[in-house]
Amino acid sequence: MASQGPERDGNDAGHLLNKPSSSETQPLLDPRTSTASHHSGESATKQLTARHAFAVLVTLQIGSGIFASPSQVDSNVPSPGAALLVWALGGLLSWAGAASFAELGAAIPLNGGMQAYLAYVYGDTMAFLMAWIYIMAAKPAAMAIQSIVIAESIGSISSSPTAAWVLKLVAALTFVAMVLVNSINTRVTIRLSESFTGIKLMTVFLVVIAGLVAVIAHLVNPKSSLSGGEDWHSKNWFSTRPTFYEGHTIDWTSMSTWDRYGHYSAAIYGGLWAFDGWDNANVVASEIRNPGQALPKAIKAAMIVVLGSYELVNLAYYILLPWSTVSSSDAVAVVALGSAFGRWAGILMSILVAVSCAGSITSNVFVVGRLTVAASERQYLPAILGERGLPWRQSQATIQCDDPGIDSQANGIAVQNQDKLSRFDAPIWANVLALVLTLVYILTGSFRTLLTFASMAMWVFYISTVLGLLILRRREPALHRPYKPAVTLPAIFVVSGTFILLRSAIFAPVQAGVLACLLIIGTSISKLRTR
């Protein structure tokens, strides 16, 4: 895959060139590679088949969100049936987004993914804004959410309610520990991330099996203690009932249509948060063999599996729990298994959910750290944020090694010391920045406010990228597109996403205001730098 970026000025659309772009427009981060080198003009061999692409897309999407975000969805809709429809809508929107990103990945084989497409269509300022928002808002807020879910999962094991400040303290300490672990070196981070993937998939499977066991137990003996809650077989799944949201009960019968749209928008964001990962379809598109035929099959199969899995998991939650409990707990998976199968089942699920969230934190620490380093190298952020490892110790080893007055044996020892020290190659100061920002979000926000905030921050750029696809179809109709879905998919994505984003901004003005301020600050920094 080519590592070139599009050379652009402030107004011209620009075209793909056969030479590397300037540092002004080069993407800040290639999400597909970390320690691998980026050789200009060197194309990567297409290695993925439809089966491989399917596995990648499924693995990227199934994560920690499905264990926590059901409460965000359930509390913002009037019935369990409506919640399942919201999950389906989130899956279909993600499907449309994945297909759109896949077209961009196949047509514009640039390192950097979404950021590269934004630079190609809109220019450097938009690409910088994406990096800025992801460093300052999206990724720290996401890691704060995952830390809070770990704390909530641990706290839900207790038979008595845990104080809010205790949960925040646990979340903060958890994140500090994760940053320390991920600040050793790149190899440790990658190994941790890989090991967590299987645990995520196993946890989803266990929840579905638990729901199936409860249904079978009820059919065999309606009075069985394993048959879960009673609501699932005694109430209408689409009947309106009060829900619990942000400390108060919602009365849906007296709510206006406009307010309902606001709650539904928040619910959809909860579902979309769980589906997040579909945006990596661009990576699959650029490395798959025969993308015109294989890619549609991979995306279709992956989205069916993920959407089906999420519907089954949510069905299991509603089967295992009283319906009023789903909206009141941010650790619904732990509460569900503990309620249906006893304390030890809850403890096991708490461990699995905590490990799954730890895996997501690991991935986010890795990405935001490298993104921060790349931004500092381009002087978007202070240079110190680009330093890796322990610079004062490494510089000492280098001085010893380069001193001509040192004999060869001493030189050899110095080289060995430098090799050992170079193993600490994690971006320490970038991780410190992520640590500080995330702790601020943990201490000042709640799970649901942060989820809306992080989703809004990401969807600003998802919508902009897919809108860019539509712009390119008109601006560059001759551009070779090995995979080209029907125009209705990106159009529906842009229209639906824009409506949800705008309504959410009105529904959550504080989060929208913070995001707007960050966008204004980022734009100002970018403009000042280019003067």
Side-chain angles (χ1 to χ4, degrees):
M1 182 178 301
S3 61
Q4 297 101 314
E7 185 177 23
R8 300 182 47 79
D9 57 38
N11 302 308
D12 188 19
H15 296 278
L16 287 173
L17 301 180
N18 293 322
K19 61 182 180 179
S21 68
S22 67
S23 61
E24 289 292 312
T25 57
Q26 192 174 8
L28 295 184
L29 179 68
D30 178 359
R32 296 163 300 138
T33 56
S34 53
T35 56
S37 61
H38 300 268
H39 300 294
S40 177
E42 183 178 303
S43 297
T45 303
K46 294 181 180 291
Q47 301 179 12
L48 300 182
T49 64
R51 178 172 55 84
H52 295 140
F54 162 80
V56 169
L57 288 172
V58 169
T59 303
L60 286 171
Q61 288 185 82
I62 295 180
S64 58
I66 190 58
F67 308 127
S69 56
S71 63
Q72 169 85 353
V73 176
D74 183 76
S75 61
N76 282 289
V77 294
S79 68
L84 294 176
L85 291 177
V86 165
W87 281 100
L89 178 59
L92 293 175
L93 274 177
S94 300
W95 191 331
S100 301
F101 270 56
E103 176 182 335
L104 289 168
I108 309 175
L110 295 175
N111 292 339
M114 180 165 55
Q115 191 180 36
Y117 310 144
L118 291 170
Y120 185 77
V121 178
Y122 303 105
D124 184 55
T125 297
M126 194 66 169
F128 165 72
L129 277 178
M130 182 220 153
W132 170 259
I133 293 299
Y134 269 58
I135 292 170
M136 303 301 294
K139 290 301 181 182
M143 293 185 290
I145 293 168
Q146 290 147 1
S147 301
I148 291 172
V149 172
I150 292 176
E152 292 273 4
S153 298
I154 295 172
S156 64
I157 299 174
S158 175
S159 56
S160 59
T162 305
W165 71 268
V166 174
L167 293 177
K168 284 187 177 291
L169 179 61
V170 172
L173 292 176
T174 297
F175 186 70
V176 170
M178 291 302 302
V179 170
L180 290 176
V181 170
N182 285 281
S183 295
I184 298 174
N185 63 25
T186 300
R187 182 175 299 177
V188 171
T189 300
I190 293 175
R191 286 180 177 175
L192 282 172
S193 182
E194 290 175 349
S195 65
F196 289 139
T197 299
I199 295 175
K200 292 179 184 180
L201 298 176
M202 181 180 68
T203 307
V204 170
F205 179 75
L206 286 177
V207 173
V208 174
I209 292 298
L212 181 61
V213 168
V215 171
I216 294 174
H218 175 75
L219 293 176
V220 174
N221 179 13
K223 296 182 179 181
S224 173
S225 61
L226 299 177
S227 60
E230 296 183 358
D231 291 344
W232 70 273
H233 57 80
S234 63
K235 294 183 179 180
N236 187 331
W237 282 63
F238 287 91
S239 293
T240 299
R241 90 290 194 222
T243 57
F244 184 82
Y245 179 78
E246 291 293 322
H248 65 276
T249 302
I250 299 174
D251 182 7
W252 291 91
T253 58
S254 60
M255 185 179 296
S256 67
T257 301
W258 181 245
D259 287 337
R260 280 177 178 258
Y261 285 157
H263 281 286
Y264 271 99
S265 297
I268 291 172
Y269 270 148
L272 292 173
W273 168 262
F275 282 103
D276 195 49
W278 57 263
D279 52 300
N280 289 282
N282 64 316
V283 178
V284 173
S286 57
E287 298 190 8
I288 192 172
R289 303 171 192 167
N290 191 13
Q293 295 182 8
L295 195 54
K297 296 179 181 178
I299 291 176
K300 181 179 180 180
M303 295 309 302
I304 289 174
V305 168
V306 175
L307 177 55
S309 297
Y310 283 2
E311 290 286 345
L312 289 174
V313 168
N314 280 280
L315 278 172
Y317 290 149
Y318 287 117
I319 290 170
L320 296 171
L321 286 172
W323 289 351
S324 60
T325 306
V326 177
S327 64
S328 61
S329 174
D330 294 331
V332 63
V334 177
V335 175
L337 266 74
S339 175
F341 301 105
R343 179 178 175 81
W344 288 107
I347 292 175
L348 172 62
M349 183 54 60
S350 175
I351 295 171
L352 293 175
V353 170
V355 173
S356 297
C357 290
S360 297
I361 292 173
T362 295
S363 299
N364 280 320
V365 169
F366 179 86
V367 171
V368 75
R370 275 65 187 177
L371 188 59
T372 304
V373 168
S376 69
E377 289 173 350
R378 286 160 180 78
Q379 300 178 353
Y380 290 151
L381 295 173
I384 191 174
L385 296 175
E387 294 182 2
R388 295 173 180 264
L390 307 175
W392 54 88
R393 293 178 64 188
Q394 290 183 0
S395 60
Q396 181 183 1
T398 302
I399 292 171
Q400 290 176 343
C401 184
D402 292 340
D403 191 339
I406 299 177
D407 60 30
S408 58
Q409 182 177 5
N411 253 333
I413 295 173
V415 170
Q416 291 177 9
N417 290 336
Q418 187 176 11
D419 288 341
K420 292 179 181 179
L421 292 170
S422 66
R423 297 173 188 172
F424 295 90
D425 63 346
I428 299 297
W429 298 113
N431 286 356
V432 169
L433 175 63
L435 174 64
V436 172
L437 291 172
T438 302
L439 289 178
V440 169
Y441 286 121
I442 290 174
L443 297 176
T444 60
S446 66
F447 170 83
R448 302 185 190 198
T449 57
L450 289 172
L451 191 151
T452 301
F453 176 66
S455 298
M456 289 171 62
M458 291 185 289
W459 272 77
V460 166
F461 297 101
Y462 290 159
I463 295 168
S464 299
T465 303
V466 178
L467 179 61
L469 178 152
L470 296 174
I471 293 172
L472 282 180
R473 284 198 180 185
R474 183 175 180 82
R475 193 173 75 192
E476 300 183 32
L479 181 66
H480 178 59
R481 295 174 172 86
Y483 171 59
K484 185 178 180 181
V487 71
T488 52
L489 285 180
I492 290 173
F493 183 89
V494 170
V495 173
S496 301
T498 300
F499 177 80
I500 295 169
L501 181 63
L502 292 176
R503 185 62 189 98
S504 297
I506 298 172
F507 185 73
V510 175
Q511 295 96 310
V514 173
L515 179 59
C517 289
L518 287 173
L519 286 170
I520 292 171
I521 294 171
T523 302
S524 301
I525 292 173
S526 180
K527 295 298 183 183
L528 288 173
R529 184 183 174 278
T530 55
R531 285 183 179 179

